[in-house]
Amino acid sequence: ELKVEQNPLFLSMQEGKNYTIYCNYSTTSDRLYWYRQDPGKSLESLFVLLSNGAVKQEGRLMASLDTKARLSTLHITAAVHDLSATYFCAAPNSGNTPLVFGKGTRLSVIA
Amino acid sequence: DTGVSQNPRHKITKRGQNVTFRCDPISEHNRLYWYRQTLGQGPEFLTYFQNEAQLEKSRLLSDRFSAERPKGSFSTLEIQRTEQGDSAMYLCASSGGIAFFGQGTRLTVV
């Protein structure tokens, strides 16, 4: 059964700094999702990574996927307060099967 | 708004009562998923449909939980004889390739 692990689970960053969140998954999966969740809100889709070596960037966030290592990273560049949220990675066993989520990384960006 | 829509957004109920939540997916999406999320945790898969067929229901938390998607469009999730441990956010997602989530229904059982 697919397991998804994220680290760190909690991250406190200073504004302007860079950091990386890691997502490991236990069995082969053909895609990897990153979502953002604000307190009390639902999940906002950030990235879908569909192939080995895929890299996607949106603003200060960049996600990458290494299917051989079963690892995805979410890199934050020059953090700003608005990025404070919980970030989840998720993967299906295959195709459109239900997503298995990590526990999330709670990011707090402080001045 | 053409996103995934869930109703109600909030529900407070007394222990022992039945509750039903509704999810309207993005119209062209044939797959619909229900998840539960408790505080500080990631979403936990419950059940899913392809069109009107329920493809997986073994993850429903107990026989008090049931879901339907009678015409392959909207879906309902029912919890019978609610317990305090059922308090959570219930999320619906639909997919035609990429999963999009609704705003969720927050259930509080008192």
Side-chain angles (χ1 to χ4, degrees), chain A residues 45-81:
Chain A
S45 178
L46 294 175
F47 301 108
V48 183
L49 302 166
L50 297 175
S51 61
N52 187 40
V55 177
K56 291 196 174 180
Q57 183 163 5
E58 180 75 31
R60 300 173 189 276
L61 300 177
M62 183 174 71
S64 66
L65 178 62
D66 181 343
T67 57
K68 293 180 182 177
R70 297 177 189 161
L71 171 68
S72 181
T73 60
L74 181 66
H75 186 73
I76 302 155
T77 302
V80 293
H81 180 72

Side-chain angles (χ1 to χ4, degrees), chain B:
Chain B
D1 187 348
T2 56
V4 180
S5 176
Q6 291 187 247
N7 287 287
R9 296 287 303 278
H10 303 274
K11 178 71 176 179
I12 300 174
T13 191
K14 291 184 178 180
R15 190 175 53 183
Q17 297 294 305
N18 299 343
V19 293
T20 300
F21 310 140
R22 177 176 169 129
C23 173
D24 287 90
I26 295 170
S27 59
E28 60 267 28
H29 286 179
N30 58 4
R31 292 211 172 199
L32 185 150
Y33 305 86
W34 286 100
Y35 291 83
R36 183 180 84 152
Q37 187 178 25
T38 53
L39 199 62
Q41 300 295 317
E44 175 188 10
F45 166 69
L46 296 177
T47 188
Y48 82 113
F49 296 84
Q50 178 161 324
N51 300 313
E52 64 273 16
Q54 191 171 12
L55 297 185
E56 173 64 63
K57 57 182 180 180
S58 65
R59 300 299 182 95
L60 287 168
L61 300 163
S62 78
D63 58 8
R64 297 184 296 106
F65 288 70
S66 63
E68 292 183 340
R69 193 183 184 196
K71 296 181 180 179
S73 57
F74 72 91
S75 176
T76 57
L77 178 69
E78 181 181 15
I79 309 173
Q80 296 182 327
R81 305 181 303 281
T82 52
E83 301 173 357
Q84 285 189 319
D86 296 333
S87 297
M89 174 81 90
Y90 290 84
L91 295 165
C92 173
S94 72
S95 175
I98 297 174
F100 291 92
F101 282 79
Q103 292 299 305
T105 295
R106 182 168 295 283
L107 173 66
T108 302
V109 182
V110 297

Side-chain angles (χ1 to χ4, degrees), chain A residues 35-47:
Chain A
Y35 289 91
R36 168 182 171 145
Q37 187 175 41
D38 292 295
K41 305 292 186 182
S42 189
L43 297 161
E44 174 191 353
S45 178
L46 294 175
F47 301 108

Side-chain angles (χ1 to χ4, degrees), chain A residues 8-50:
Chain A
L9 297 183
F10 297 93
L11 178 57
S12 182
M13 296 178 64
Q14 281 190 314
E15 281 189 331
K17 298 293 188 182
N18 304 333
Y19 209 84
T20 300
I21 299 170
Y22 297 89
C23 174
N24 289 91
Y25 53 99
S26 61
T27 63
T28 302
S29 182
D30 63 358
R31 63 191 67 187
L32 192 293
Y33 293 72
W34 285 96
Y35 289 91
R36 168 182 171 145
Q37 187 175 41
D38 292 295
K41 305 292 186 182
S42 189
L43 297 161
E44 174 191 353
S45 178
L46 294 175
F47 301 108
V48 183
L49 302 166
L50 297 175

